[in-house]
Amino acid sequence: MTHHRTGLGWLVLAGVTWGTSGTLGVLLRGESGLALLPAGGYRILVGGLLILGFVLLTGRLRLPSTASAWGRVAALGFASGLYQVTFFSAIGFVGIAVATLITIGSTPLMVLTIEALTGRVRLTGRLALALGAALVGLLLLAGSPPEGIAFGDALIGAGLSLVAGASFAGISLLGANPDPDFDDATGTGLAFLGGGAAVLAVATLFGPIGFTITPLSLVLVVALGLVPTAVSYLSYLRGLRTQSGTIGSLVALLEPVTAATLAALVFREWLTPPAALGAALLLSAVVLTTLGPRSAVPRDTMEPELHP
């Protein structure tokens, strides 16, 4: 039970810190003029550098020694890079609200389907209620889609958002099925280096990736790589050592709640009554998920911990 609750704590930390990415990204764009897609590339590239710098300074570097662990590094790098590219591209077609709704709303459903088919998770009444509350909450929180979206753009944006959701679902499933030779910190740092470089390479096809360098812009780039990237992903992967991917993806719903709260506090973007109800439903879904009985197939509680 202690391992179970500790894992939930790491997932909550991940969800809350992920929610800072929007505020930091908007502040960075205002200070430096950096577009969203290259900002996503710098985010995971800097996050990877910070993680690897930490493990080197603390003597915790543990490179993979098996083909399966290196394959996991490649898969994590691909999934994280693909998420940045598809999500930020989807925003250009359907806007932030719809892209977020489809991406975050589809992830738990994808993960639950796979884990239910593989016998890792049983769909209980409490879990079904949490999923329902999450979907309704996301609809209310996202609000109405922007007017004037062409049907073709809506299809492309929805497709890109679903790919982004599948990318995050892949990260969740990888984390819920750890490889003993894959050190979370070292492996994630290497994956983010590759993923970040790939995202920036793609971003060059759509425009410049440079930005105005000021002391504040550098602080914001480092903060974007540290808080909603290095801290969030390492916390998420560590939490998934004792939780299913379904539970992880549901607790990650704290991200839009945190993002909406910060938008209100920093930019005075106050929630409408329906959006506030949506945020409350998302919190209810997280509470139902975290306070309910453990639905994942139990693991060996004596599994050695890997330091983030």
Side-chain angles (χ1 to χ4, degrees):
M1 182 61 70
T2 300
H3 287 276
H4 178 64
R5 293 302 176 192
T6 301
L8 287 173
W10 285 112
L11 293 178
V12 169
L13 176 61
V16 171
T17 50
W18 263 323
T20 65
S21 62
T23 297
L24 291 171
V26 170
L27 292 173
L28 176 61
R29 183 170 58 180
E31 175 67 18
S32 68
L34 187 63
L36 287 175
L37 183 54
Y42 285 120
R43 170 190 174 183
I44 57 176
L45 180 67
V46 171
L49 290 171
L50 290 173
I51 293 171
L52 290 178
F54 171 76
V55 295
L56 282 170
L57 288 174
T58 57
R60 295 176 178 175
L61 181 70
R62 189 161 73 85
L63 294 172
S65 59
T66 63
S68 63
W70 278 111
R72 184 170 290 253
V73 170
L76 181 58
F78 177 78
S80 59
L82 184 63
Y83 178 88
Q84 306 296 322
V85 171
T86 52
F87 178 69
F88 288 122
S89 297
I91 290 174
F93 285 97
V94 293
I96 295 175
V98 175
T100 301
L101 168 63
I102 298 175
T103 298
I104 299 180
S106 65
T107 298
L109 297 176
M110 294 178 185
V111 176
L112 175 61
T113 299
I114 294 174
E115 293 196 321
L117 290 174
T118 56
R120 179 168 173 76
V121 164
R122 294 178 293 275
L123 181 59
T124 63
R126 184 187 294 270
L127 187 56
L129 184 60
L131 283 170
L135 291 176
V136 174
L138 281 169
L139 281 169
L140 291 172
L141 187 60
S144 302
E147 297 181 359
I149 297 179
F151 180 71
D153 287 346
L155 285 180
I156 296 173
L160 288 168
S161 299
L162 286 173
V163 174
S167 301
F168 188 69
I171 293 172
S172 300
L173 292 168
L174 283 171
N177 295 276
D179 185 316
D181 187 51
F182 179 88
D183 175 69
D184 284 346
T186 303
T188 303
L190 292 171
F192 282 176
L193 283 184
V199 173
L200 289 175
V202 172
T204 60
L205 302 176
F206 301 95
I209 62 173
F211 61 95
T212 302
I213 297 178
T214 65
L216 180 56
S217 68
L218 291 177
V219 168
L220 290 170
V221 167
V222 172
L224 194 61
L226 176 63
V227 181
T229 310
V231 172
S232 295
Y233 278 93
L234 288 182
S235 299
Y236 192 66
L237 292 174
R238 186 161 183 173
L240 288 175
R241 287 190 165 275
T242 58
Q243 303 296 321
S244 68
T246 299
I247 299 299
S249 60
L250 281 169
V251 176
L253 293 169
L254 286 170
E255 175 186 357
V257 177
T258 304
T261 302
L262 286 175
L265 294 175
V266 178
F267 303 113
R268 298 295 187 266
E269 295 179 3
W270 303 108
L271 294 177
T272 63
L277 176 59
L281 285 172
L282 286 182
L283 287 174
S284 299
V286 174
V287 170
L288 284 170
T289 301
T290 57
L291 296 185
R294 187 175 180 180
S295 60
V297 176
R299 295 188 187 180
D300 181 4
T301 58
M302 298 304 291
E303 181 184 46
E305 274 191 0
L306 296 180
H307 297 284

